[in-house]
C-alpha cells in the first residue's frame, strides 16, 4: 500500500530541507570567518536559522498529518513489533 502523495511530498521535502540546512551550517561553521567574510557569514547563519525554523513547522505539520492519516495496517503492525523489540532490550 502506497502512502498518499502529500505524505510522500512532506517526507522528501523535509529530508531535502534538513540536508540543505545541515550543509549550510557546515559550510558557515568550517569555511567562513567573521574576520574575512563578516556580513556574509552573518547572512548565511541567518539563512541557516530560517531554514531550521521552517523544518520545525514542517515537523509539526507532519505530526498533525500523521494523526489525521494514520499508518496503513501492515506498517502499524510492524511499528508495534519494533516498539516491543526496542523496549524489551
Amino acid at each position: 500500500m502506497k502512502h498518499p502523495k502529500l505524505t510522500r511530498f512532506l517526507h522528501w521535502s523535509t529530508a531535502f530541507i534538513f540536508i540543505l540546512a545541515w550543509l549550510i551550517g557546515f559550510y558557515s561553521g568550517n569555511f567562513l570567518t567573521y574576520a574575512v567574510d563578516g556580513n556574509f557569514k552573518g547572512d548565511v547563519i541567518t539563512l541557516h536559522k530560517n531554514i531550521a525554523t521552517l523544518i520545525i513547522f514542517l515537523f509539526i505539520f507532519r505530526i498533525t498529518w500523521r494523526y489525521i492519516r494514520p499508518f496503513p495496517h501492515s506498517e502499524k503492525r510492524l511499528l508495534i513489533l519494533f516498539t516491543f523489540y526496542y523496549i524489551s532490550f
Side-chain angles (χ1 to χ4, degrees), residues 4-16:
K5 288 182 181 181
L6 182 59
T7 302
R8 288 183 278 159
F9 175 76
L10 285 173
H11 172 80
W12 289 112
S13 62
T14 303
F16 174 75

Side-chain angles (χ1 to χ4, degrees), residues 46 55 80 85:
T46 301
I55 291 171
I80 291 169
Y85 177 78

Side-chain angles (χ1 to χ4, degrees), residues 10-86:
L10 285 173
H11 172 80
W12 289 112
S13 62
T14 303
F16 174 75
I17 292 170
F18 180 84
I19 292 169
L20 181 67
W22 185 85
L23 289 172
I24 290 172
F26 182 80
Y27 173 75
S28 68
N30 292 315
F31 300 111
L32 297 178
T33 61
Y34 281 111
V36 177
D37 302 309
N39 291 334
F40 180 68
K41 181 169 181 162
D43 292 341
V44 171
I45 290 174
T46 301
L47 176 65
H48 173 74
K49 290 178 181 180
N50 289 337
I51 292 173
T53 304
L54 176 64
I55 291 171
I56 291 170
F57 285 117
L58 273 174
F59 182 71
I60 292 169
F61 184 73
R62 284 185 68 186
I63 290 173
T64 306
W65 182 251
R66 176 51 67 196
Y67 282 115
I68 294 170
R69 304 285 299 226
F71 284 125
H73 179 68
S74 62
E75 289 185 14
K76 187 180 286 185
R77 184 175 47 187
L78 183 64
L79 180 65
I80 291 169
L81 289 173
F82 177 74
T83 305
F84 176 74
Y85 177 78
Y86 182 73

